[in-house]
Amino acid sequence: METTSTVVSSLSSGWFQLSIWNLLMVIVGLFALLLILHTISFLKTYIKFKDTPGYVSFLPAVLDALVKKRIYVHNQYECTLEAFKKNPNAKVVKVQMGGSCQILVARDQALIKEILVKKYKTISKGESLAPVGLFGPNMFSADSSNPLWKKHRTMANPIFSSSSHLKNVFRVTLEETKKMLNFWKSIYGSETDGSIRKVNVTNEFKSITLNVINRVAFDYDVGIFDNGAKYRDELHDWVTDLLTGLIYTFVMPKFLFEYAPFGIFKRFRDAKERFKVATLTMIDKKQKEMDSNEFIQKDDEDLLTLLLKSSAAASSEDEKLSRDELLSAIFIVFFAGFETSSASLNFMLRMLAKNQQFQDEVVREIDQEIKHADDISFELITNKLPLLTSFIKEVLRTKTPVGGGARVINSKKGDFINGVHYPQGTSVTISYFSQHYYAKEGHDDFDPYRFMDKKSTSTAAATSDEVGENETGETYGKGPMGELNIDFGSDGILPFSIGPRDCIGKRMALLEMKLILVFLLKNYRLKVPKGLEEAQDAVPETYIVTRTVFEPYLIDFETRQ
Ligand code: HEM
């Protein structure tokens, strides 16, 4: 009996030892197989792009970023700039990480124009940004050859370009800025002279840009400033879950977002559902309003009204907008329309608070033009205050909000870039980040006067109210934006990209940001809070989607006497 049990136990422990050993062998074997496959893929890619100079890492992109302790997107931008620096004469470089490789373009305005303007249909978005189409393809995610893109872009264009709509942006922004200051006073408290201290501008500007985009584009009042800090925080958390989850969908398996009952996956699902319900309610409310006799025709109709009207007028079912299409159109304007502007404003406020002497000069410029904050006019914002305009451009240059525009070679025959042939499927990115570095030599050399002497070289319709497109789709004319216009030709920067796929909201963003700055500077002196100078200098910057900070910027708003 004893002998039998000893045999059994020694057998089973032997089997156990054997199975652990086997398991280890399987893991080592799998790892070796993965390594071999990875090496083959790395070598194949290396050989395919061997003629293009650049940055090469054996590690896949996620690991390369981990090793450098950088956020994934930020690492891509820094490696691109490194590649350009290492190859001082190159206009085209590569960034190869593991088996994937991007071709990147900067330094040559003619080449950038050729790709973004002339070739926008062949070197286009492809499916690279498909995940941004959360509720189906939209203006941002759809390829240039997709008729949906042209349809949505054409419908939305008047909202973001015409004089009457831009004046609406002006009016709404001014109203919201005043409300924002009262809101700040209620949550941060104010001193007897009205000064407000240690305002977390990184967080606060999200509220105003959210409010403005919703009112302007959808005639919908989110009302953040009419409710307390709790409502604001809850709304910010919801929106953050939606946007963070969206970014993760680019790099993590899809099924996690559909089924995983925990963490960001669940929060993202909940946020998406909440967005859907809120938006459909908004659509139904607007539709009811339009169906009722009380509907008032306005010449600055919002995007939602335009979309619903054009869908109602469509002659065939195909031309009508489905509910998902409407949802998707609304989502993209909301998504693209607030984070970029609030992040840019954050850096603008910080630069002004940090550079007191420069702030003096800007304030002098504003004081020379207007006596009182009530005198701020559309004309003042669009056509005057050249120093402030130059400052805004310099912040957009050095703190490039969107670091690159990803494209894919779509034509079967491939395409030539700078004389080199690249096959179909090659990822080609215009590196706005690197272009801004080379645009005026010296990315970190912050010079707010840099753009003072640059006059726009836009030829057609420079003084008219119209903004148009030439035969290649390049926008021309300053239109209602007057001098508040970024011209790639003379300024050398492209924070809003150029060509038919440029930022549809660029005029709105510039107007909104400059108006908020003028209103704040007319009423307050911006300062870094006492005792926090060093800590604020040390706040690290990064890119998550747009350029941002790891910790918030805090600003004192001291009432001007
Ligand atoms: C400082 C603020 C902003 C910056 C820096 C910015 C930047 C950009 C850039 C660089 C692109 C092109 C991306 C690419 O090359 O693929 C873009 C596209 C776009 N932006 Fe903006 N943006 C800003 C504000 C806004 C606002 C306020 C809206 C409001 C609607 C908006 C809506 C869009 C849309 C819909 C597109 C896609 C257009 C298309 O593909 O046809 N953006 N933006």
Side-chain angles (χ1 to χ4, degrees):
M1 199 58 194
E2 218 182 78
T3 329
T4 320
S5 71
T6 318
V7 170
V8 169
S9 93
S10 72
L11 255 182
S12 66
S13 80
W15 184 87
F16 183 68
Q17 279 168 12
L18 202 66
S19 73
I20 290 247
W21 175 245
N22 280 353
L23 194 70
L24 261 175
M25 289 304 282
V26 169
I27 292 173
V28 171
L30 272 178
F31 185 74
L33 184 71
L34 271 179
L35 198 64
I36 291 168
L37 288 176
H38 177 75
T39 309
I40 294 171
S41 150
F42 170 81
L43 288 174
K44 270 170 86 180
T45 309
Y46 185 78
I47 292 165
K48 194 164 153 190
F49 298 106
K50 67 179 186 328
D51 295 332
T52 309
Y55 174 93
V56 178
S57 164
F58 181 71
L59 297 176
V62 176
L63 285 185
D64 193 88
L66 259 178
V67 169
K68 301 218 188 76
K69 295 191 184 134
R70 285 188 193 132
I71 302 274
Y72 176 88
V73 180
H74 191 193
N75 191 42
Q76 296 281 328
Y77 296 159
E78 291 292 354
C79 292
T80 305
L81 186 57
E82 200 179 305
F84 276 110
K85 282 183 179 172
K86 264 199 207 152
N87 298 280
N89 297 317
K91 305 164 178 177
V92 181
V93 296
K94 70 178 169 198
V95 169
Q96 180 184 350
M97 291 183 181
S100 65
C101 183
Q102 277 183 48
I103 299 299
L104 298 119
V105 181
R107 266 200 194 128
D108 184 326
Q109 291 198 19
L111 185 59
I112 292 174
K113 268 186 160 180
E114 183 184 320
I115 295 170
L116 289 178
V117 181
K118 280 205 190 109
K119 293 193 165 178
Y120 80 99
K121 280 191 178 153
T122 49
I123 305 181
S124 54
K125 293 206 166 174
E127 288 302 306
S128 61
L129 292 176
V132 179
L134 258 196
F135 303 95
N138 56 45
M139 202 201 307
F140 194 93
S141 72
D143 187 65
S144 310
S145 60
N146 184 341
L148 178 139
W149 166 68
K150 189 81 192 165
K151 180 167 88 173
H152 283 214
R153 176 111 193 179
T154 313
M155 268 185 209
N157 209 39
I159 308 290
F160 300 104
S161 320
S162 83
S163 178
S164 60
H165 284 94
L166 290 171
K167 283 182 179 151
N168 193 33
V169 172
F170 175 88
R171 185 180 58 79
V172 169
T173 306
L174 201 54
E175 277 173 26
E176 291 295 331
T177 310
K178 290 175 187 170
K179 278 188 181 180
M180 175 177 78
L181 287 168
N182 286 333
F183 179 74
W184 287 0
K185 283 178 186 163
S186 75
I187 58 169
Y188 291 95
S190 65
E191 297 173 355
T192 40
D193 67 350
S195 299
I196 316 167
R197 305 237 171 236
K198 290 191 185 160
V199 176
N200 176 342
V201 286
T202 308
N203 197 27
E204 297 300 344
F205 280 128
K206 288 184 193 162
S207 303
I208 187 158
T209 52
L210 252 175
N211 275 357
V212 170
I213 189 70
N214 276 285
R215 282 187 62 189
V216 169
F218 315 123
D219 187 25
Y220 183 78
D221 194 352
V222 181
I224 300 183
F225 300 138
D226 302 324
N227 296 281
K230 202 167 157 244
Y231 174 75
R232 174 207 56 192
D233 291 343
E234 205 245 336
L235 207 78
H236 282 192
D237 287 350
W238 167 41
V239 173
T240 304
D241 286 344
L242 190 67
L243 302 191
T244 314
L246 177 64
I247 300 315
Y248 285 177
T249 59
F250 276 90
V251 285
M252 298 182 103
K254 232 179 164 185
F255 71 89
L256 286 172
F257 294 91
E258 277 170 32
Y259 305 110
F262 52 80
I264 183 65
F265 309 111
K266 182 178 179 326
R267 296 207 308 277
F268 174 66
R269 250 193 333 274
D270 293 346
K272 196 177 151 191
E273 185 56 26
R274 185 170 164 185
F275 183 86
K276 188 172 174 176
V277 171
T279 307
L280 290 179
T281 312
M282 181 170 89
I283 294 172
D284 289 342
K285 186 171 166 265
K286 178 62 86 182
Q287 186 68 64
K288 259 195 203 146
E289 239 175 67
M290 287 171 66
D291 292 343
S292 80
N293 294 333
E294 285 142 44
F295 182 66
I296 306 160
Q297 176 89 30
K298 293 192 284 184
D299 62 352
D300 58 357
E301 264 163 0
D302 60 285
L303 179 61
L304 178 56
T305 308
L306 272 188
L307 292 174
L308 288 171
K309 268 190 172 176
S310 113
S311 186
S315 50
S316 71
E317 275 309 306
D318 276 358
E319 284 173 29
K320 286 197 188 304
L321 295 168
S322 67
R323 284 186 61 92
D324 275 354
E325 214 179 311
L326 270 170
L327 253 179
S328 204
I330 290 169
F331 170 72
I332 199 53
V333 169
F334 168 84
F335 169 74
F338 85 98
E339 173 88 20
T340 36
S341 307
S342 70
S344 304
L345 270 169
N346 183 41
F347 286 115
M348 287 171 195
L349 268 266
R350 163 72 187 155
M351 298 314 272
L352 284 167
K354 196 175 148 64
N355 300 299
Q356 289 293 312
Q357 224 178 323
F358 178 71
Q359 193 185 139
D360 279 344
E361 283 185 53
V362 176
V363 167
R364 212 171 300 132
E365 185 185 62
I366 296 172
D367 286 351
Q368 268 166 13
E369 290 291 344
I370 51 165
K371 275 215 162 70
H372 192 266
D374 289 341
D375 304 333
I376 302 175
S377 64
F378 185 78
E379 166 71 6
L380 177 84
I381 301 301
T382 50
N383 269 315
K384 298 194 172 155
L385 311 175
L387 182 57
L388 184 59
T389 302
S390 172
F391 165 77
I392 290 173
K393 288 184 189 179
E394 182 63 348
V395 176
L396 291 173
R397 183 185 79 83
T398 49
K399 310 288 178 191
T400 312
V402 179
R407 305 289 185 266
V408 178
I409 296 185
N410 273 340
S411 68
K412 275 197 185 133
K413 287 189 259 165
D415 214 324
F416 285 88
I417 296 172
N418 200 32
V420 177
H421 181 265
Y422 293 97
Q424 183 183 29
T426 305
S427 160
V428 180
T429 297
I430 305 298
S431 177
Y432 307 141
F433 183 75
S434 305
Q435 173 60 22
H436 284 193
Y437 180 87
Y438 288 109
K440 307 280 169 183
E441 293 308 322
H443 199 267
D444 297 323
D445 175 17
F446 186 82
D447 175 7
Y449 307 92
R450 204 183 286 273
F451 296 94
M452 285 289 279
D453 57 342
K454 301 286 166 201
K455 282 271 166 264
S456 169
T457 56
S458 294
T459 45
T463 52
S464 94
D465 197 36
E466 295 304 315
V467 183
E469 283 186 358
N470 62 21
E471 63 285 357
T472 50
E474 192 178 9
T475 46
Y476 63 76
K478 291 185 241 173
M481 293 301 284
E483 293 300 321
L484 184 56
N485 195 37
I486 296 182
D487 181 76
F488 184 44
S490 54
D491 293 329
I493 58 169
L494 66 174
F496 299 101
S497 193
I498 53 167
R501 299 304 303 254
D502 74 347
C503 176
I504 198 170
K506 64 184 179 208
R507 296 179 190 87
M508 173 182 168
L510 284 167
L511 190 63
E512 188 182 7
M513 293 187 298
K514 193 169 167 191
L515 175 53
I516 292 174
L517 291 180
V518 174
F519 193 88
L520 292 178
L521 288 167
K522 190 68 204 165
N523 288 294
Y524 298 98
R525 166 150 292 272
L526 317 182
K527 283 192 176 162
V528 178
K530 276 208 179 82
L532 291 185
E533 292 85 353
E534 265 183 43
Q536 288 279 285
D537 276 345
V539 169
E541 295 175 24
T542 188
Y543 282 91
I544 295 179
V545 188
T546 51
R547 194 182 181 104
T548 184
V549 275
F550 276 118
E551 286 155 38
Y553 285 138
L554 305 178
I555 308 264
D556 277 353
F557 290 78
E558 283 182 4
T559 300
R560 283 183 60 199
Q561 301 308 324

